[in-house]
Amino acid sequence: MNEKNRAFLKWAGGKYKLTEQINERLPKAKRLIEPFVGAGSVFLNSDFEEYVLNDINPDLIEMYRIIKRKPKQFIQDAKVYFQDEFNKEEVYYKLRSEFNKSDDIYLRSLLFLYLNRHGYNGLCRYNKSGGFNVPFGRYKKPYFPETELLFFAEKAKKATFTCKPYQKLFLYLRDTDVLYCDPPYVPLSKSASFTSYATQGFTLDDQAQLAKLARESKAAVLLSNHDTTLTQELYREAHCDKISVSRTISSKSSDRKPVAELFAFFPAKK
């Protein structure tokens, strides 16, 4: 694919910079399944006939479904929140509180995009009570991603969006499927643990279970993770290779040092 397509969400750990490397490692297949779709950069920069895009975050998946169903209405309504009057700290916290109290799926979807673009560093984080708790980002003029939203909506015609535990995605695989798994990464140190993307977290037991499911899957599976002693052990039966990538989560550019990223490929069972 010649021109790369950006996701409309800011996303810590997003795969935009690695889509070429990922596509090189994905075998040809009819359907791509992503149990941890996140902002969808792999989906947006790959070419499969069908997609199953899953995430444990219901706010994310409900928003994707709405954008697929009525993109022009969503864009019109979401754009309101990108006027200058909404880029103020007190307004941000008021709307964040409104988001956390609301059961209205459509309003939550609009505010999810607002919070993503106005919140700190593209983080998506919830407290143990399920409340979104990312602080105000203090950006001069947050970008409204209209072009990216329209591209996403058009490509979403090929996609089915699901909100299930990752284990469920392995239950009904076809021989013509391939899975790309981009789970929350194994922490590089004890102090680097980041498990609050969803209220349930993603434990080391989950890392082991995902590796087992990939190993036993009848469809091909490509996994990405940090290159650590643990992941090398978990993926020891896979075809593994690694690349160096820059860290993007740290708020200080001086701390964004290259880290080793591991790709583990489990071929389809014959």
Side-chain angles (χ1 to χ4, degrees):
M1 301 180 74
N2 296 326
E3 186 177 340
K4 290 183 70 173
N5 301 291
R6 285 195 176 274
F8 65 84
L9 293 172
K10 296 170 67 176
W11 208 255
K15 290 296 180 285
Y16 177 76
K17 293 181 179 179
L18 297 179
T19 54
E20 294 94 344
Q21 291 93 326
I22 292 166
N23 279 318
E24 287 171 4
R25 292 164 173 80
L26 286 172
K28 290 185 178 180
K30 183 177 181 182
R31 185 171 69 163
L32 176 67
I33 298 174
E34 291 195 61
F36 310 89
V37 68
S41 287
V42 175
F43 156 64
L44 292 168
N45 292 284
S46 59
D47 188 19
F48 292 84
E49 290 181 39
E50 299 174 45
Y51 295 85
V52 175
L53 305 177
N54 181 80
D55 204 279
I56 197 64
N57 185 331
D59 293 318
L60 182 71
I61 294 301
E62 291 293 357
M63 180 185 62
Y64 285 166
R65 287 170 174 164
I66 287 169
I67 292 167
K68 176 183 177 179
R69 194 166 66 246
K70 46 183 179 181
K72 291 181 180 178
Q73 183 67 53
F74 181 88
I75 288 170
Q76 179 181 318
D77 294 338
K79 193 180 290 187
V80 172
Y81 293 98
F82 285 73
Q83 298 175 61
D84 290 343
E85 64 201 81
F86 291 93
N87 190 27
K88 297 177 181 177
E89 187 167 3
E90 65 274 16
V91 177
Y92 175 87
Y93 287 116
K94 179 176 178 292
L95 290 175
R96 192 182 75 173
S97 177
E98 187 176 341
F99 172 84
N100 285 330
K101 292 174 183 176
S102 178
D103 294 324
D104 184 314
I105 291 172
Y106 188 67
L107 176 61
R108 284 181 70 91
S109 294
L110 297 173
L111 291 178
F112 187 82
L113 176 59
Y114 165 81
L115 293 169
N116 173 265
R117 283 280 169 179
H118 291 76
Y120 179 74
N121 221 23
L123 292 176
C124 182
R125 191 181 65 195
Y126 298 80
N127 60 30
K128 291 182 179 180
S129 302
F132 190 88
N133 66 355
V134 176
F136 183 54
R138 302 181 186 280
Y139 300 110
K140 188 173 181 180
K141 188 171 179 61
Y143 171 67
F144 182 67
E146 182 167 355
T147 301
E148 293 84 350
L149 281 161
L150 287 169
F151 183 85
F152 182 96
E154 181 61 30
K155 189 150 190 184
K157 293 175 182 177
K158 291 176 152 187
T160 299
F161 296 100
T162 61
C163 185
K164 299 177 180 179
Y166 67 91
Q167 300 94 326
K168 300 285 187 184
L169 278 295
F170 287 84
L171 294 178
Y172 305 106
L173 296 177
R174 307 170 187 164
D175 295 336
T176 51
D177 290 337
V178 61
L179 292 91
Y180 171 60
C181 296
D182 181 30
Y185 278 15
V186 169
L188 289 171
S189 66
K190 289 182 180 179
S191 62
S193 181
F194 175 76
T195 57
S196 52
Y197 166 70
T199 52
Q200 300 91 331
F202 198 84
T203 66
L204 295 182
D205 284 343
D206 283 308
Q207 299 284 358
Q209 185 174 20
L210 177 60
K212 181 175 185 290
L213 289 168
R215 188 169 62 246
E216 297 174 352
S217 169
K218 75 174 186 178
V221 181
L222 177 67
L223 277 142
S224 56
N225 213 318
H226 281 144
D227 181 25
T228 67
T229 303
L230 174 62
T231 54
Q232 290 172 12
E233 173 62 22
L234 289 176
Y235 308 149
R236 64 187 181 280
E237 295 178 39
H239 302 299
C240 292
D241 63 311
K242 56 188 174 183
I243 60 173
S244 181
V245 298
S246 59
R247 186 196 303 270
T248 57
I249 296 239
S250 175
S251 59
K252 295 181 181 179
S253 58
S254 60
D255 292 339
R256 296 176 186 176
K257 299 174 183 177
V259 295
E261 178 123 353
L262 187 69
F263 286 113
F265 180 68
F266 294 88
K269 297 286 186 293
K270 296 182 179 179

